[in-house]
């Protein structure tokens, strides 16, 4: 058990999730990382926290995760629902099992984790914070990732619902919607000059964002500096959603 406030970050072994964990650790949280990858243990150790292997698309595994965190460390004061998958494919032949799998991880898993964390907070009298990882694809769309786009639109609405439901308990729920961020998912764009040119043509700040820039916004939303912010999705996209046309 620890007297330090506990923050759980799902999908935390690398990329944006790990950057969120680093930013929260810098803000004084004891950070717990969960991920399907075994490397989550080493990542958590670097932050002075704890790591757990968990598939956020598995209902039983999510329950076990929260039970273990409660037993090992205590109730969470902050939750970052970052775990997510895309599984691209052609719309006309998109596999129904793939669609279900994406929604299981990206939407159902977010709901279950939010529900479990919120119950922990209510029982412990914690005025906590929950941040869901949405995407600009909650507002715009890419035809090759229909399930991903649908799931992120759902996350946007789930964030609003949870914010309203948990406001009487002073638990704040917000979301962050990244644009083009320099992570492993964008490696193909980085390696292709034409793809990079296209991405930058619709990014007014003319660069990719960094994972830490997402992490810092997440940490802000988990802090008292955001004490009157709930039900919002903050898009960290270099100005992309505001762009009317490209040249």
């Amino acid at each position: 058990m620890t007297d330090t406030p506990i923050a759980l970050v799902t999908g935390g072994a690398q990329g944006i999730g790990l950057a969120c964990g680093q930013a929260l650790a810098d803000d004084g949280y004891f950070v717990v990382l969960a991920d399907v990858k075994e490397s989550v243990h080493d990542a958590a150790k670097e932050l002075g926290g704890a790591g757990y292997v968990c598939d956020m698309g598995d209902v039983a595994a999510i329950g076990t995760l929260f039970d273990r965190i409660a037993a090992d460390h205590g109730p969470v004061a902050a939750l970052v629902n970052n775990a997510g998958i895309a599984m691209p494919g052609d719309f006309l032949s998109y596999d129904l099992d793939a669609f279900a799998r994406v929604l299981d991880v990206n939407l159902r898993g977010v709901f279950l984790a939010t529900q479990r964390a919120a119950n922990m907070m209510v029982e412990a009298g914690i005025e906590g914070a929950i941040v869901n990882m949405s995407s600009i694809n909650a507002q715009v769309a890419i035809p090759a990732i229909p399930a991903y786009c649908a799931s992120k639109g759902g996350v946007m609405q789930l964030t609003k619902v949870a914010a309203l439901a948990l406001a009487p308990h002073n638990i704040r729920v917000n979301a962050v919607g990244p644009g083009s961020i320099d992570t492993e998912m964008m490696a193909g764009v980085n390696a292709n000059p034409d793809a990079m040119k296209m991405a930058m043509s619709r990014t007014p700040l003319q660069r990719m964002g960094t994972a830490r820039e997402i992490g810092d916004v997440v940490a802000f939303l988990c802090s008292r500096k955001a004490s009157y912010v709930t039900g919002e999705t903050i898009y960290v996209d270099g100005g992309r959603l505001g762009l009317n046309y490209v040249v």
Side-chain angles (χ1 to χ4, degrees):
M1 294 292 178
T2 176
D3 293 330
T4 305
I6 298 165
L8 167 61
V9 182
T10 69
Q14 63 183 15
I16 288 174
L18 181 55
C20 290
Q22 291 167 333
L24 290 166
D26 289 347
D27 277 2
Y29 281 95
F30 177 84
V31 175
V32 176
L33 302 179
D35 202 288
V36 292
K37 297 181 178 179
E38 291 287 343
S39 58
V40 70
H41 297 296
D42 291 335
K45 188 180 298 184
E46 291 180 10
L47 302 181
Y52 295 86
V53 174
C54 181
D55 178 353
M56 295 305 295
D58 184 321
V59 173
I62 292 171
T64 299
L65 171 67
F66 278 90
D67 289 344
R68 290 183 64 192
I69 292 171
D72 294 347
H73 308 289
V76 300
L79 167 67
V80 181
N81 283 308
N82 172 72
I85 56 176
M87 299 185 73
D90 180 73
F91 185 88
L92 292 175
S93 59
Y94 198 83
D95 183 69
L96 188 58
D97 288 339
F99 196 95
R101 173 61 178 165
V102 172
L103 264 65
D104 283 349
V105 175
N106 295 12
L107 189 55
R108 187 181 67 174
V110 170
F111 170 73
L112 290 172
T114 297
Q115 189 180 58
R116 283 298 303 266
N119 274 298
M120 270 188 175
M121 294 172 188
V122 171
E123 290 170 10
I126 295 172
E127 296 182 359
I130 297 170
V131 180
N132 300 323
M133 199 58 64
S134 184
S135 167
I136 58 170
N137 290 296
Q139 297 281 354
V140 294
I142 298 173
I145 48 173
Y148 181 85
C149 294
S151 71
K152 294 306 183 180
V155 166
M156 178 178 65
Q157 285 296 94
L158 181 59
T159 298
K160 294 177 182 179
V161 170
L164 296 174
L166 299 177
H169 304 286
N170 289 313
I171 297 170
R172 297 178 299 100
V173 187
N174 292 288
V176 172
S180 297
I181 306 300
D182 190 8
T183 62
E184 185 177 318
M185 187 177 291
M186 294 295 293
V189 174
N190 281 336
N192 185 328
D194 290 336
M196 176 63 78
K197 182 179 179 180
M198 180 179 292
M200 291 304 97
S201 74
R202 57 181 188 256
T203 305
L205 285 184
Q206 288 294 292
R207 66 174 179 84
M208 285 192 180
T210 67
R212 183 57 189 247
E213 285 175 314
I214 303 298
D216 285 341
V217 175
V218 168
F220 162 72
L221 290 171
C222 289
S223 76
R224 298 306 301 171
K225 293 178 181 178
S227 58
Y228 202 53
V229 181
T230 195
E232 299 295 330
T233 298
I234 297 178
Y235 291 100
V236 187
D237 65 353
R240 179 170 170 180
L241 286 179
L243 186 62
N244 187 40
Y245 64 91
V246 296
V247 293

